[in-house]
Amino acid sequence: MLCYYSFLHTINTFNKDILIQMYINWLQRTKNQMPNLNYHGEDDFYYTVPHKELIIKDFKDKGLNISFKTNDNIKNNRFTVEILYLNHTLHLKFYKEITDQSIYIDKVSIPGIFRDLFHSSYILNDDVFKISDKPYYLDRLTDANTELPIIVLKGPNYRLDPKELAYQLTGNAHIVCLNDCKSAIMIKYPHQNIKVFKSSYKESHHRLLLRLCDTIRNYCINLNHSYSYQQLYEMELQEKQKDFKQSTIEIKEYYENEINEKQMMLQMFQEEYLEKCQLLEKTKKLNSELNHKSQLLNYEPLLINQEDNEEYYTYMMNLLQITLRNLDNNEIYRRKDIIESIIKANKQVNI
């Protein structure tokens, strides 16, 4: 349960390295110090010992988060001290979980690291007021436009101890004491008029203090617009899951495009193959026709009008020339026989 929240604006020279060093120095001074803790500037750092864990994680544009958690401390309760640093603003959070075995404490203690930051020179004033655990004694209430509530105690007989109230509400409100003839407790919330905090004189100072502190703390807690470590971590996981899904979709689209291109190429090759097959069929058909014609030329009898001796003689001489040209050099001796056979045939024709 979030039981304390405050936010501080820092000067420009403040940075995450200063914050981490202050946090670790505070932690090692407490009863919850962690032995052998060595941090060397990692953006993501996790260290644990029995019942304790320290997490430092840089969520980039969502800020640097430092979170220290205990499981069953010396008072048998569990608490978390968390700081989110974003855009020169510190969001301070204190979570406490009470168990059946817890030693109950009826007031909220402010972690020491928060007070270290309040007292440091890195924090800007809240308008005219510096964040302080001490009350301001004024002659009159200034027209301050603060981000934190202002509790006005009118005296001279204050219903509550200003110092105790200022200590318990450090970082949650400014305590202003005014000398007035009539004692009263008033609250000025940011951008609102002053309101009287009603109480009965029969109400004990202790009870009145608790009720006023709870009222102011609840107001500040409701102002909490920053994310906790767990929320930031879940958001990061969701973004990674979203990126993974997007990456998966992109990979799927890439391979689908590749498959489509391959299918188009396959279809193109199939069409080309069919064209080649058709061309082959045409070629085979043409070759068949040519072969058939060649056979007709080679084997059909040549009809020549033998009465025309000159035509026959011309034909035979042309045939002789073709035959001689086609003879191999080794068959030159046959030329004489061929010539004699042609002459002989020619004589027979003339007879």
Side-chain angles (χ1 to χ4, degrees), residues 323-346:
T323 304
L324 291 175
R325 282 199 302 268
N326 292 335
L327 284 177
D328 188 81
N329 292 332
N330 296 327
E331 296 179 340
I332 292 297
Y333 69 93
R334 293 185 58 195
R335 294 183 179 181
K336 182 179 179 182
D337 296 336
I338 293 172
I339 294 173
E340 290 178 352
S341 63
I342 292 175
I343 295 172
K344 184 179 181 181
N346 188 31

Side-chain angles (χ1 to χ4, degrees), residues 5-18:
Y5 169 77
S6 183
F7 62 94
L8 308 171
H9 299 298
T10 66
I11 61 177
N12 292 333
T13 56
F14 186 80
N15 56 50
K16 65 179 183 179
D17 295 329
I18 296 174

Side-chain angles (χ1 to χ4, degrees), residues 159-160 183-185 196-209 211:
R159 290 289 313 276
L160 298 174
S183 297
I185 301 174
V196 177
F197 185 74
K198 297 181 180 180
S199 64
S200 170
Y201 279 93
K202 294 181 180 180
E203 187 176 18
S204 67
H205 288 192
H206 178 70
R207 179 62 184 170
L208 179 60
L209 177 65
R211 192 161 63 86

Side-chain angles (χ1 to χ4, degrees), residues 77-95:
N77 57 36
R78 302 168 186 173
F79 68 85
T80 301
V81 179
E82 186 175 286
I83 298 178
L84 175 67
Y85 179 55
L86 176 64
N87 298 329
H88 290 291
T89 302
L90 293 167
H91 299 270
L92 314 178
K93 300 181 182 183
F94 180 55
Y95 300 85

Side-chain angles (χ1 to χ4, degrees), residues 48-201:
T48 181
V49 296
H51 308 298
K52 305 168 195 174
E53 65 178 5
L54 173 65
I55 304 173
I56 301 174
K57 185 168 179 60
D58 193 345
F59 290 98
K60 307 305 178 185
D61 59 329
K62 293 182 177 61
L64 173 77
N65 188 282
I66 309 177
S67 180
F68 172 73
K69 301 179 181 180
T70 65
N71 296 322
D72 301 326
N73 61 3
I74 58 175
K75 296 178 182 177
N76 292 321
N77 57 36
R78 302 168 186 173
F79 68 85
T80 301
V81 179
E82 186 175 286
I83 298 178
L84 175 67
Y85 179 55
L86 176 64
N87 298 329
H88 290 291
T89 302
L90 293 167
H91 299 270
L92 314 178
K93 300 181 182 183
F94 180 55
Y95 300 85
K96 182 174 284 189
E97 180 182 347
I98 306 295
T99 63
D100 294 337
Q101 293 78 30
S102 299
I103 301 174
Y104 181 71
I105 302 175
D106 59 356
K107 65 179 180 180
V108 176
S109 56
I110 300 176
I113 179 59
F114 295 176
R115 296 191 181 278
D116 290 345
L117 289 168
F118 296 149
H119 296 151
S120 72
S121 59
Y122 300 114
I123 307 304
L124 296 175
N125 289 350
D126 184 14
D127 199 3
V128 298
F129 295 108
K130 179 176 174 26
I131 307 296
S132 175
D133 56 2
K134 295 180 175 56
Y136 290 91
Y137 294 90
L138 304 175
D139 294 331
R140 62 182 182 85
L141 183 62
T142 60
D143 188 18
N145 187 24
T146 62
E147 294 184 291
L148 295 178
I150 300 174
I151 299 178
V152 181
L153 301 178
K154 288 188 175 183
N157 298 318
Y158 305 116
R159 290 289 313 276
L160 298 174
D161 182 356
K163 293 181 180 180
E164 183 179 5
L165 185 62
Y167 186 80
Q168 290 202 29
L169 291 180
T170 308
N172 284 154
H174 304 292
I175 311 302
V176 175
C177 298
L178 297 179
N179 288 323
D180 200 306
C181 59
K182 185 178 180 180
S183 297
I185 301 174
M186 297 184 296
I187 303 175
K188 183 182 185 306
Y189 293 104
H191 311 295
Q192 296 182 19
N193 296 325
I194 295 179
K195 298 179 180 179
V196 177
F197 185 74
K198 297 181 180 180
S199 64
S200 170
Y201 279 93

